[in-house]
Amino acid sequence: MATRKRPLSPHLQIYSPQITSVLSILHRITGVILAFGALLLANWVISATYGADSFALAQDLLGSWFGRLILFGLTLALYFHLGNGIRHLAWDMGRGFSLPQVRTSGLFVIAFTLVMTVMTWIAAYSAAGDF
Amino acid sequence: MEMRSHLGRVRGLGSSNDGVHHWWLQRITGVALVPLTIWFIVSAVSLAGADLEQFRSWVGAHANPVLLCLLIFTMFHHGQLGLQVVIEDYVHSETTKLLLLIVTKFTAILFGGYSIFAVLRLTFGG
């Protein structure tokens, strides 16, 4: 049966972005990014079983400007997914559903992500003695 | 009219025939990942620029090998559960969907298994 070209209901592009919808899709996007980050972590650990040279290569690649850029992005994604994941667990327990609460917890997750990422990188640089 | 009894419907566990099992596992692995991830970030920060000897002694120290294996297992498990939902939501061709799901699950098991084996090797030597 041929389907006639019927009008579609309002779709994504008709809505202006809101903190609720933006954080929702970011949870998915960061989740997918972190799944690839898991492969990076696996490779890092596995490289150590191939000897000092291959582990040094892995460390050098991760420590290069490009490696640091990737790791910085992964840190942001990780803290966001962690913070927002806890927000989701609260919802799963039936808490924090009113709109003001949803906005406040969303803003809190954004602040948590930024602050923790900066603090982690300050700690990493001082641990590596790069300061 | 609904001809099935309540018990029959519950035993069928809905359209996925799997009830809330997938949903529940995703939450439980997520809860487990909260402390594991925080522990790992603190450790990874201290390993910036480490050489193999320093890395080896960190992997083998105290509870680290256990926590690392648990992190790897839970992370890949949680990750493949999440990717499965994303694939099921956005991929509508049955063949592509099945292929992607198989690739996702095989990759998670391969890299998860390999890196857990690597942790054991680094801990026990050889």
Side-chain angles (χ1 to χ4, degrees):
Chain A
M1 193 182 81
T3 329
R4 280 182 300 142
K5 275 211 152 196
R6 288 169 300 189
L8 293 169
S9 56
H11 201 48
L12 273 180
Q13 61 269 24
I14 211 83
Y15 297 104
S16 64
Q18 299 165 71
I19 186 167
T20 42
S21 59
V22 171
L23 295 198
S24 173
I25 193 61
L26 271 179
H27 196 71
R28 275 215 158 170
I29 294 170
T30 51
V32 173
I33 291 171
L34 289 169
F36 286 94
L39 295 178
L40 199 65
L41 167 61
N43 276 299
W44 182 58
V45 175
I46 290 165
S47 76
T49 63
Y50 283 81
D53 288 344
S54 62
F55 185 70
L57 178 66
Q59 287 286 71
D60 286 348
L61 286 175
L62 291 172
S64 69
W65 72 266
F66 189 67
R68 284 178 202 206
L69 188 68
I70 301 270
L71 288 177
F72 186 78
L74 283 173
T75 316
L76 275 173
L78 185 63
Y79 278 123
F80 178 80
H81 202 83
L82 178 66
N84 206 47
I86 292 169
R87 189 164 166 248
H88 268 282
L89 288 172
W91 286 333
D92 291 337
M93 293 188 292
R95 287 164 197 276
F97 274 122
S98 79
L99 266 186
Q101 281 175 315
V102 169
R103 270 193 217 104
T104 312
S105 61
L107 288 172
F108 185 80
V109 168
I110 295 172
F112 170 80
T113 306
L114 298 175
V115 170
M116 290 308 288
T117 303
V118 170
M119 275 173 53
T120 303
W121 278 78
I122 290 174
Y125 272 101
S126 19
D130 275 13
F131 265 154
Chain B
M1 194 186 143
E2 174 67 77
M3 299 296 283
R4 298 171 64 197
S5 70
H6 293 309
L7 182 62
R9 212 164 56 215
V10 166
R11 284 201 176 136
L13 294 167
S15 57
S16 62
N17 296 312
D18 164 72
V20 292
H21 184 245
H22 185 285
W23 184 90
W24 183 243
L25 263 185
Q26 204 166 11
R27 314 293 132 165
I28 290 299
T29 50
V31 169
L33 278 169
V34 174
L36 287 171
T37 314
I38 293 169
W39 163 79
F40 178 72
I41 295 171
V42 174
S43 308
V45 159
S46 71
L47 287 166
D51 62 17
L52 183 59
E53 272 321 297
Q54 291 165 310
F55 184 67
R56 234 180 213 284
S57 59
W58 170 75
V59 170
H62 312 294
N64 287 355
V66 179
L67 292 174
L68 199 52
C69 287
L70 289 175
L71 171 75
I72 292 166
F73 175 81
T74 317
M75 181 180 66
F76 276 105
H77 199 0
H78 185 81
Q80 63 88 16
L81 288 168
L83 286 181
Q84 180 188 342
V85 177
V86 173
I87 292 166
E88 286 170 349
D89 277 357
Y90 302 130
V91 181
H92 301 307
S93 144
E94 286 299 323
T95 320
T96 321
K97 190 200 288 179
L98 185 63
L99 273 175
L100 279 174
L101 287 175
I102 291 174
V103 169
T104 304
K105 281 164 196 262
F106 280 14
T107 309
I109 293 168
L110 175 69
F111 278 85
Y114 196 176
S115 38
I116 286 174
F117 189 72
V119 171
L120 299 178
R121 240 174 159 176
L122 290 166
T123 308
F124 298 116

